[in-house]
Amino acid sequence: MAENQYGFPTEVLSLPSKGLLYPEDSPLRSGTIDVKYMTAKEEDILTSTNLIAQGKVIERLLESVIANPNIKLDDMLVGDKNALMLGTRILGYGGEYNILINDPDTGEEVERTVDLTQLKHRELDEKLFKSGENKFSFKLPNSKRVVEFKLLDGHDERLIEKQLDDLKKVEELTGISSELTTRIKHQLISVDENTDQKFIDNFVDNEFLALDTRAYRKYVLSISPDIDMSIDYTTKGTGKEVKVDVPLGVEFFWPAGE
């Protein structure tokens, strides 16, 4: 921790994407982000009942700790944003984090202390894309069609959220959520080199086979830079080793999570 050009103490966090998917002129291109230490101001944010009710408390917190005013939270890829959240929590309240695990064998709730500093990055495979271009390709295993897609950033997430809000009345009438197809429509850049959005939308709604959809989603998850939030857990009954996800949310921070 040291004073620097910002005039307050900061730390440098590395990004799972290594900055390689951002344009050359983006300050995120360095693969790192400067963050300020949390203060009473950030605790005010965390304990704001209005922000918690609106579901915006984490967003406001992360905006507050980004030191470089040229970096906007919405510019960040989702996985890089998760890394920012993890780093902010560790800098603010340390690496120890208590979680409750439902034991798969007994159904019993077990408390476990996680060392957040030991969670690792799932880094980007540089062989899968052209540097500075957020575009990936995948051949669907059943239909053999080729789709190009991007990894979502904060701008995309806002558009998806707005579109889902607009579809709430339809969902209430039908009982069917459109979240999966809406998200895929925002991810896809082209289908068999056709970039027309109407063509892509029709493909997702009427031609994207369920087996291909599952394979596509699995592939996107496997190549997305992010934080691996899973930990090993030994079940109480059979002693089987399983993976358990560490939850991300308001509860991730103290005192808002208490």
Side-chain angles (χ1 to χ4, degrees):
M1 179 172 66
E3 294 287 340
N4 47 41
Q5 72 267 29
Y6 302 113
F8 46 78
T10 62
E11 290 287 350
V12 179
L13 301 179
S14 60
L15 303 175
S17 73
K18 298 182 279 190
L20 297 173
L21 297 181
Y22 299 104
E24 291 284 353
D25 59 352
S26 170
L28 292 165
R29 180 70 179 183
S30 67
T32 62
I33 186 170
D34 295 335
V35 297
K36 67 186 286 290
Y37 280 77
M38 288 174 57
T39 65
K41 172 186 174 184
E42 280 69 44
E43 289 201 333
D44 277 346
I45 294 172
L46 281 172
T47 55
S48 168
T49 54
N50 286 336
L51 290 177
I52 293 172
Q54 295 170 22
K56 295 182 178 180
V57 62
I58 297 300
E59 175 186 331
R60 292 291 177 84
L61 173 68
L62 297 184
E63 288 173 345
S64 180
V65 298
I66 295 175
N68 187 341
N70 295 318
I71 294 178
K72 305 304 179 187
L73 188 62
D74 280 352
D75 294 337
M76 299 184 70
L77 297 171
V78 172
D80 287 344
K81 180 179 172 181
N82 288 339
L84 171 62
M85 183 174 172
L86 176 65
T88 299
R89 200 288 184 182
I90 293 172
L91 290 174
Y93 300 116
E96 282 194 1
Y97 180 45
N98 294 325
I99 63 173
L100 291 175
I101 297 171
N102 287 317
D103 190 284
D105 289 343
T106 66
E108 178 186 353
E109 274 197 339
V110 181
E111 186 171 327
R112 174 82 178 268
T113 298
V114 179
D115 183 356
L116 298 175
T117 66
Q118 297 304 304
L119 298 178
K120 304 298 183 184
H121 285 188
R122 293 204 313 260
E123 294 188 338
L124 196 60
D125 185 344
E126 298 181 38
K127 300 188 294 292
L128 298 176
F129 66 101
K130 181 179 177 181
S131 184
E133 189 173 358
N134 182 6
K135 183 164 67 175
F136 300 82
S137 180
F138 182 63
K139 186 174 184 179
L140 301 175
N142 292 279
S143 68
K144 307 304 179 184
R145 303 182 74 170
V146 177
V147 296
E148 288 183 314
F149 64 93
K150 65 179 179 178
L151 302 182
L152 302 178
D153 61 18
H155 297 288
D156 298 314
E157 293 289 348
R158 284 188 186 278
L159 289 173
I160 291 169
E161 183 180 354
K162 183 180 184 306
Q163 192 167 346
L164 290 175
D165 283 342
D166 293 341
L167 292 170
K168 273 185 178 178
K169 288 186 178 180
V170 176
E171 182 179 338
E172 290 172 359
L173 289 173
T174 63
I176 300 172
S177 171
S178 302
E179 182 171 358
L180 174 60
T181 54
T182 300
R183 185 167 294 274
I184 292 176
K185 289 172 184 177
H186 281 270
Q187 285 178 330
L188 292 185
I189 298 172
S190 71
V191 178
D192 293 332
E193 299 185 347
N194 191 326
T195 60
D196 180 73
Q197 190 61 51
K198 289 184 178 179
F199 180 87
I200 292 172
D201 291 350
N202 180 71
F203 168 77
V204 174
D205 287 334
N206 302 304
E207 301 175 41
F208 206 165
L209 302 176
L211 286 173
D212 282 340
T213 304
R214 180 171 296 181
Y216 163 77
R217 291 167 61 200
K218 184 177 180 180
Y219 180 73
V220 173
L221 180 64
S222 72
I223 62 102
S224 296
D226 209 331
I227 298 293
D228 183 356
M229 296 297 295
S230 64
I231 61 170
D232 294 321
Y233 173 72
T234 303
T235 63
K236 286 196 166 187
T238 61
K240 183 180 179 181
E241 289 287 337
V242 297
K243 291 288 187 181
V244 176
D245 289 332
V246 178
L248 279 172
V250 178
E251 68 278 4
F252 195 52
F253 292 89
W254 178 94
E258 292 191 346

